[in-house]
Structures are given as structure tokens and as C-alpha cells.
Amino acid sequence: MNIVVNESLKAYIDPLTPDEHDALERSLLSEGCRDALVLWGDMLVDGHNRYGICQKHGLPFQTVQNTRFQSIDDVHLWMIDQHLGRRSVSDFQRGVLALRKKDILSERTRTPAPPAPEADAAAAPAPAPSSPGVSFLPPPPALTSREAIAKAARLSSSQVVMIEKIQKQAAPEVVEAVRAGTISINAAAAVASLPAEEQVAAAAAGKDELKQAAKRVREAAKRKPREDSAEGGGDEPVSIEALQQRVAELTAENEALRRQLAELQARAA
């Protein structure tokens, strides 16, 4: 059958790292493609990496139709849920995906879904009789609170606050650094407080400079309340966003210390 690869759909989820792709290729070569590729009509929804590897080596594969997709939003929601359940997805990626899910569901609540456009209908013909079909549960209700988003992503609310800040304020170079695991979510959120040109310079200088930049931001944040109080400016209102960010940073630091303590106790035992 003709399988259509939609490049925007393929890029909707962060790609595998080179090491992850190599590991998948070795697995497929030794064990074959055990999991069926998920299609929406002719369009490939899940299994882009497996499909590419199978095409490269001439490996056989199976396909399955999802019969519940009515729009591209349904496809996106299903893709998000699939990746939120995978252990290989990083904390930052899960947070980004959960926030995307919130946006899609919130938009659906505000705006009733229109009839499927002609482009979608053309891209999703009825499944062929020979294609196995699978029916999936409808999407869950909207994620209306930060706690619900955190639960969907298996993160803390403080981590969600920091990821939101990174998405809104961080330079692309800093986003790429946290996505690649070069720096932590906590550090990236701190660096995102800097002017864009300083963020870019820190990212260009590498991992150590990013960590130092984050440290300087935190130290400056700790000094500012004392300086404001000394100058008689203690009565000036502090923004909710600033308080949320500070609470998120302190909570993340506390969680990191707890993990370190648990590791030390385990070693001592």
C-alpha cells in the first residue's frame, strides 16, 4: 500500500538522538518490526523511525488503522499520549507535550470542532478492507490546572512552571541545550531570565558557562530582596510570576538535595 509521510507530523515529536536511532536499527535488524505502524488512511501517524529503517533494509512490517481520528488535532493528541507514556522521553519533553495537550484541549473547549476540511478528508480515506483497524478511547477532558498538567506529564507543578518560562522566555539556543540534556530545567529557567543576547552568548560558550550564568541569576535573585529592604523599597509589589519562579526554583533545589541524600544513605547502607 502507499504510505504517506507528512513532514510536519513527523516533526511534531522531538526526533530520536543518533544513539537511540542506532539502537532501534539494531533491534529491528535482529528481531524484525514487531509493532505495527499506525495509519490514518494513507498517512503515517506512529512509527516514522521504524518505517524509515524498514524501507532502508527491506524489512517487512504490519500496519494498523486508527478508526477514531476525525481531525489532525485527534492525531496530535494521540501522538502526545503515546509519547507521554514512554520512559525514554525526558522530563522537559514530557512537560512540553503536556502543555501542547492543554492548548489543544483548551481550544476545543472554546471553539467547537468544525467539519473536517477537504484536505483532511483526502488525507484520511476509509481504511482498506484488508487493513486491520483499531479503535481508541476519546481524548480526556481539558487540563484546567497546572496540577493536572503536572500529573499528565509525571512532573511536579514547579517543573511545569519552569518549563512554561523556558518556552516563553528562553532563546532557541537555551531551549536546545535543555532539550539535549546539557543543562537542567532548573538552570535553563534561571538563564531564561537574562536578556536574549546574554542567553545566546552563554549557550555558545558551552555547558559550564550556562551553569555559571544560572548560578549568577539565582544569587542575584537572593540579593535583591535584601537590597530592596535596605533601600526602603520593601513595600514594592512583587509579581506573581516572580514568586512562582522563585518557589519553583527552591522546590527543584530541595528535590535535588533529597535525591542526593537518598543516594548517600543508600551507599552508606
Side-chain angles (χ1 to χ4, degrees), residues 251-265:
T251 302
E253 289 176 9
N254 187 45
E255 290 172 352
L257 290 171
R258 286 178 181 274
R259 287 195 296 270
Q260 291 175 7
L261 178 59
E263 290 173 1
L264 289 172
Q265 289 174 335

Side-chain angles (χ1 to χ4, degrees), residues 18 48 84 97 105 108 118 137 207 216 256 264:
H48 290 90
L84 283 176
L97 290 172
L105 295 176
R108 280 189 167 182
E118 293 181 5
L137 293 175
K207 178 178 181 179
R216 290 194 294 271
L264 289 172

Side-chain angles (χ1 to χ4, degrees), residues 6-233:
N6 182 305
E7 292 300 326
S8 63
L9 204 60
K10 180 179 178 180
Y12 192 70
I13 304 294
D14 287 342
L16 297 178
T17 65
D19 287 345
E20 290 170 338
H21 190 276
D22 289 346
L24 177 61
E25 187 168 21
R26 289 193 298 271
S27 173
L28 292 178
L29 287 171
S30 63
E31 302 176 19
C33 188
R34 296 178 298 177
D35 298 323
L37 310 182
V38 178
L39 303 177
W40 180 32
D42 291 341
M43 187 183 296
L44 181 60
V45 172
D46 184 62
H48 290 90
N49 293 295
R50 282 174 284 138
Y51 178 65
I53 294 169
C54 287
Q55 290 289 93
K56 175 182 175 182
H57 296 285
L59 301 175
F61 56 86
Q62 300 295 319
T63 64
V64 63
Q65 287 283 341
N66 185 316
T67 60
R68 297 293 290 269
F69 293 149
Q70 298 296 318
S71 70
I72 197 66
D73 278 350
D74 288 339
V75 174
H76 287 157
L77 287 170
W78 185 83
M79 292 175 71
I80 288 170
D81 284 342
Q82 291 298 300
H83 283 77
L84 283 176
R86 292 176 179 169
R87 289 178 294 178
S88 60
V89 178
S90 71
D91 289 349
F92 179 73
Q93 289 174 313
R94 287 203 308 275
V96 169
L97 290 172
L99 288 168
R100 284 183 188 174
K101 181 176 181 177
K102 179 208 70 171
D103 290 341
I104 294 172
L105 295 176
S106 297
E107 183 61 28
R108 280 189 167 182
T109 301
R110 290 192 298 268
T111 308
E118 293 181 5
D120 282 353
S130 59
S131 299
V134 60
S135 185
F136 295 89
L137 293 175
L143 302 178
T144 55
S145 68
R146 186 168 285 116
E147 290 72 20
I149 298 169
K151 183 177 180 181
R154 305 198 310 278
L155 301 173
S156 66
S157 295
S158 62
Q159 286 174 306
V160 173
V161 171
M162 289 188 284
I163 291 171
E164 285 181 304
K165 180 177 181 179
I166 293 167
Q167 286 190 299
K168 292 177 182 177
Q169 297 177 222
E173 293 82 355
V174 175
V175 175
E176 182 56 34
V178 69
R179 181 180 286 122
T182 304
I183 57 171
S184 67
I185 294 172
N186 191 344
V191 174
S193 301
L194 295 170
E197 59 272 17
E198 292 185 33
Q199 295 185 45
V200 173
K207 178 178 181 179
D208 290 342
E209 178 55 30
L210 281 168
K211 289 184 176 180
Q212 287 301 314
K215 183 179 179 180
R216 290 194 294 271
V217 171
R218 295 190 194 105
E219 290 175 347
K222 291 175 183 177
R223 287 197 304 269
K224 194 172 189 307
R226 293 196 296 269
E227 292 171 356
D228 288 345
S229 178
E231 295 173 3

